[in-house]
Amino acid sequence: MVPADRAQRAQAFISAFSLEVSAKAMSALRAEASRVAPGTTISIPYLPSEDDTARLAAVRTARELGFEPMPHLSARRIGSREALERFIDRAVIDAGVERCLLIAGDLSTPAGPFADSTSIIESGVLQRAGIKVVGVGGHPQGHPVMAGADRWRVLERKCQRIEEQGMAPLIITQFAFDADIVLTWLNELRVRGIPHPVLVGIPGPASIARLVRYAAMCGVAASTSMLSRYGISIGRLLGTAGPDVFVNRLVDGLTEAHGLVSPHVFAFGGIAQWMDWAEHYCRGVET
């Protein structure tokens, strides 16, 4: 039998998830809305194939369904300060948006005045529009262009700038396959005196081939040994994998010293499949 305190911690951790949902997947969110807790944060990625009209429709849908929309802003893809102001103002007015996630974006040359997420923070646009929480990226498994020392320096500076603007920082990590790497990163985060809440990226249940493909697309390390620690065997790419091993190790390793840490779900296999897994997992830890 699973100890009661451990079962309660596992259930509380999973129940506090936020969910990454693209604008085109809003119909799937609507179909599963009754199974998702009211007030759940719905993180809406900034995809090059979707425009601001689609993104605004998505934040309105998330709010109408009773969730907390968190649109992403891709700094280098924003063409002008005016475009940023229009989008943020509409998101706040139409959907009561209070939080957003900033990413630099993958363009080598910025389309407008914002070279990185710090430049958006320092513009004052978010603060004046009424944004209260600003998410920034964390990278436990590394960054494609920044070394470790630079990553920490940039993260610390972003959080400081957000607080100077009167807003609250939120750290959201890339998804990972090795819980021990995440725990080590969380330890260093807190040792460095960075106290802000963390959403840990977790890939939801999906085919193994899809998980490996998304890892390659997102620049996430996925070596054979790392995948095996997640519970994936490269010899069975036709199978399906869920985050059971990852979540169990993370729950067992988290302590009060880690502060507020919650799961941020990338539902690569679909929202319904994630909800099925989460409900089954929570039932399982009761026994």
Side-chain angles (χ1 to χ4, degrees):
M1 178 177 291
V2 178
D5 61 338
R6 198 268 182 190
Q8 291 169 355
R9 286 189 292 107
Q11 290 175 333
F13 180 76
I14 287 300
S15 298
F17 71 84
S18 56
L19 191 58
E20 189 114 345
V21 183
S22 68
K24 65 181 179 182
M26 282 295 140
S27 58
L29 178 64
R30 187 180 295 278
E32 299 298 323
S34 63
R35 303 170 69 189
V36 181
T40 294
T41 294
I42 302 300
S43 181
I44 302 163
Y46 193 110
L47 301 179
S49 59
E50 297 170 350
D51 59 16
D52 281 354
T53 299
R55 297 180 192 107
L56 287 170
V59 299
R60 288 194 296 268
T61 296
R63 177 63 75 192
E64 289 165 4
L65 293 172
F67 306 128
E68 188 68 37
M70 181 172 66
H72 298 196
L73 299 173
S74 181
R76 293 176 188 155
R77 289 187 175 274
I78 297 172
S80 67
R81 180 188 177 95
E82 291 73 21
L84 174 62
E85 290 174 337
R86 283 196 303 271
F87 178 84
I88 289 296
D89 287 346
R90 286 262 55 92
V92 170
I93 293 168
D94 294 352
V97 166
E98 295 184 342
R99 56 183 58 200
C100 61
L101 169 63
L102 304 182
I103 60 172
D106 54 3
L107 292 181
S108 57
T109 302
F114 304 111
D116 52 28
S117 51
T118 301
S119 60
I120 291 182
I121 297 167
E122 294 177 342
S123 72
V125 171
L126 304 182
Q127 177 197 35
R128 284 193 289 274
I131 296 297
K132 297 178 180 178
V133 178
V134 178
V136 293
H139 300 87
Q141 291 192 190
H143 190 281
V145 298
M146 279 194 290
D150 292 333
R151 291 199 305 271
W152 288 117
R153 177 179 52 79
V154 169
L155 179 59
E156 290 169 339
R157 187 176 72 242
K158 287 178 184 177
C159 291
Q160 181 181 358
R161 296 291 187 271
I162 290 167
E163 290 188 296
E164 288 172 352
Q165 294 278 342
M167 300 177 291
L170 173 66
I171 301 170
I172 305 174
T173 79
Q174 64 195 145
F175 68 88
F177 290 114
D178 190 329
D180 287 338
I181 288 177
V182 174
L183 288 165
T184 298
W185 180 86
L186 286 169
N187 288 337
E188 185 166 359
L189 181 80
R190 300 318 188 197
V191 166
R192 287 175 173 271
I194 304 175
H196 311 297
V198 177
L199 302 183
V200 173
I202 296 176
S207 72
I208 294 172
R210 176 172 287 188
L211 290 173
V212 172
R213 184 170 68 251
Y214 271 103
M217 289 170 56
C218 298
V220 174
S223 66
T224 300
S225 61
M226 192 173 293
L227 290 171
S228 69
R229 291 179 64 80
Y230 188 76
I232 292 175
S233 169
I234 290 298
R236 50 183 290 270
L237 285 180
L238 296 179
T240 298
D244 306 64
V245 173
F246 181 94
V247 170
N248 287 339
R249 178 69 190 95
L250 197 60
V251 168
D252 289 340
L254 287 173
T255 68
E256 290 185 2
H258 290 117
L260 186 58
V261 179
S262 308
H264 182 67
V265 178
F266 295 81
F268 298 133
I271 298 171
Q273 192 168 347
W274 160 254
M275 293 306 304
D276 290 344
W277 180 90
E279 291 167 1
H280 182 267
Y281 179 84
C282 288
R283 287 196 300 270
V285 295
E286 292 177 347
T287 58

